[in-house]
Each structure stands twice: as C-alpha cells, then as structure tokens.
Amino acid sequence: MSIELKSPAEIASMRHAGKIVANILEKLAALVKPGIRTSDLDDAALEMLKSYEARPAFLGYRGFPKTLCVSINSEVVHGIPRPSRLVKSGDVVSLDFGCVWNGFYGDAALTVGVAPVSREASRLIETARRSLDAGIAAMRLGGRVGDISNAVQEDVESNGFSVVRDFVGHGIGRALHEEPQVPNFGKSGTGPRIETGMVLAIEPMVAAGSGDVEVLADGWTAVTRDGGLAAHFEHTVAMTDKGAEILTLSGPLS
Ligand code: MG
C-alpha cells in the first residue's frame, strides 16, 4: 500500500477529528484520580463522543472491545478498561484514544502520573512527552520519516530510557493505520520522504527498563517484560506547506 497524501480539505476534516480527540483526552486526564475504575474512563469517553457526533476509532478495531486504551505502570499500550481495575496513587496511567469524524481518524495519547509519583516515574513521563515534541520538530518538508524516528530515539536514550520497538507510529487518514510506519528508532535520512499532505500519528512508547514487551493472554495488553514502568504520548501531525501542524490539540471546534 502506498502513502495517501491528504488535500487541505481532508486535513480540515482531520483537524476537526483531532480536536475532538484532544478535547476528550483532556477531560479524561482530569478524571484520572485514585479510586476511579478504568471502565469509568472508557464509559466517559464513549459518552463524550456522542456530543461531537463522532464514533470511536478503537471499538471493534480488530476486535478491540472498548473505546479507550488505559495502560497502567508496566502496561505499555492497549490496556483494556475494566470495572475491576482501579487507579491508585503513584500509578503511571497512559490513555490512548481515537475517533472518526466525517470519515477521518484522529489518534492521540498521553500519560499522567497519579500523585504522589516516584521521581523515576515523573522523569519517565516527562521524557516521553518531550520525545514526542522532538519527533514532531524533526518532521520537516523534504526530510525523511527516519529523521522523526531518530529524534525520538536520541531524546529517549540520552535520558537513560528505552524506546519500545514492537509497536510503531503510523500514517493516518481514512484508516486508523496507514502507510508509512513511524518507528521510534532509526537512522536520520532514511525512510519515506516527508511531503505536503502526509499525516502521521507519531507515538513514542518509552520504558524505564529494556523496552522489550510481551502481550498478555487477553490478546491486547502489551506489558514490559522486565516489569518496568512505561509511558506513551501521541499526536496526529499533518505536513502542510506552512510546516508540521499538530491536529490533536484541544480547543473550540469551528
Ligand atoms: Mg496510534
């Protein structure tokens, strides 16, 4: 499959979808407190989507059973919300959320520490957040996807953490996962050329330990093999003539 470049009108739809995702994620992040069930967060996400006339991106995707992914501590991505899973003080909670609006997808993730968190946990979260910024800053017209991968990896590893290699960022548009893959490791100057109309979900998954992961028996939840903490941040980013534009920023819908 080839890389689908988007027109300005298509990017406008993706901007709308992205804002819905960001607005909901922001509200969900504020709900992450000790005692909340991860299924409560999922219910809230689905309920909020209704007011935006959007539909969930993950529900039913390859059989995923929920609207939101909630991955706690050693869980890296794709944690399935459930009533028996309560958030606790000190937890590192990653929320990954996507929606479809007018046929276009938005996808974003963030990680919150539930106070009080360890020094290592807060440094991990901050590093993951900043490595996403570094990846986005490396998304330049005429550059290569490997520039993004390399920027994320350098930032993470220079802080003594590891990138997770088994899961990658991706192109996004009329499908949740499109070409190209956007690994969180790689060499600058390699990979597909970054062109106007390219839209990428850039999503560093960062581990305090080795970054090796395994998938639990539920078929979804990816955890670190060494049990170390993990954090995850993601934005949907469009390459426009004016530069890289983050589509998953919160704000009023026009
Ligand atoms: Mg994604």
Side-chain angles (χ1 to χ4, degrees):
M1 217 178 91
S2 60
I3 296 169
E4 303 267 349
L5 300 176
K6 280 78 184 178
S7 69
E10 290 171 328
I11 289 175
S13 282
M14 295 194 73
R15 190 179 291 118
H16 191 102
K19 268 189 186 165
I20 295 170
V21 168
N23 288 348
I24 291 176
L25 259 184
E26 195 172 272
K27 290 187 180 120
L28 292 174
L31 294 175
V32 176
K33 297 269 163 58
I36 194 163
R37 297 172 172 87
T38 57
S39 57
D40 295 336
L41 296 168
D42 185 70
D43 291 345
L46 191 57
E47 189 57 36
M48 284 188 262
L49 267 178
K50 288 180 190 164
S51 64
Y52 289 110
E53 295 174 336
R55 67 178 177 84
F58 303 164
L59 183 65
Y61 181 83
R62 294 184 175 182
F64 189 77
K66 297 290 178 181
T67 296
L68 179 71
C69 297
V70 186
S71 308
I72 301 179
N73 297 333
S74 64
E75 298 168 353
V76 182
V77 285
H78 307 158
I80 301 172
R82 53 181 201 268
S84 60
R85 188 69 191 269
L86 271 64
V87 170
K88 303 186 309 295
S89 294
D91 278 350
V92 173
V93 181
S94 298
L95 306 176
D96 189 354
F97 178 62
C99 84
V100 192
W101 184 84
N102 196 28
F104 286 93
Y105 282 78
D107 189 6
L110 53 80
T111 299
V112 291
V114 184
V117 293
S118 68
R119 194 175 160 76
E120 184 194 44
S122 75
R123 213 168 65 75
L124 176 75
I125 293 168
E126 187 52 28
T127 297
R129 194 191 60 71
R130 223 193 26 241
S131 75
L132 173 57
D133 294 342
I136 294 167
M139 184 173 172
R140 292 189 203 97
L141 212 49
R144 302 276 187 165
V145 170
D147 302 348
I148 300 169
S149 302
N150 184 258
V152 170
Q153 181 181 16
E154 289 281 316
D155 194 86
V156 168
E157 293 181 353
S158 68
N159 281 282
F161 296 121
S162 306
V163 294
V164 170
R165 292 170 181 248
D166 284 8
F167 297 94
V168 297
H170 48 94
I172 180 169
R174 289 188 187 275
L176 178 59
H177 294 121
E178 297 185 355
E179 291 295 316
Q181 292 198 342
V182 187
N184 294 306
F185 60 95
K187 285 193 170 70
S188 299
T190 66
R193 195 170 289 285
I194 296 167
E195 298 177 66
T196 299
M198 189 181 260
V199 185
L200 303 176
I202 303 173
E203 50 176 321
M205 287 152 261
V206 180
S210 76
D212 289 341
V213 299
E214 61 191 340
V215 175
L216 297 184
D218 64 17
W220 283 103
T221 313
V223 300
T224 57
R225 273 186 203 277
D226 58 15
L229 295 174
H232 179 207
F233 283 83
E234 175 178 23
H235 272 309
T236 297
V237 188
M239 193 71 235
T240 75
D241 287 334
K242 294 180 197 132
E245 177 189 343
I246 301 173
L247 301 181
T248 40
L249 288 179
S250 61
L253 291 159
S254 48

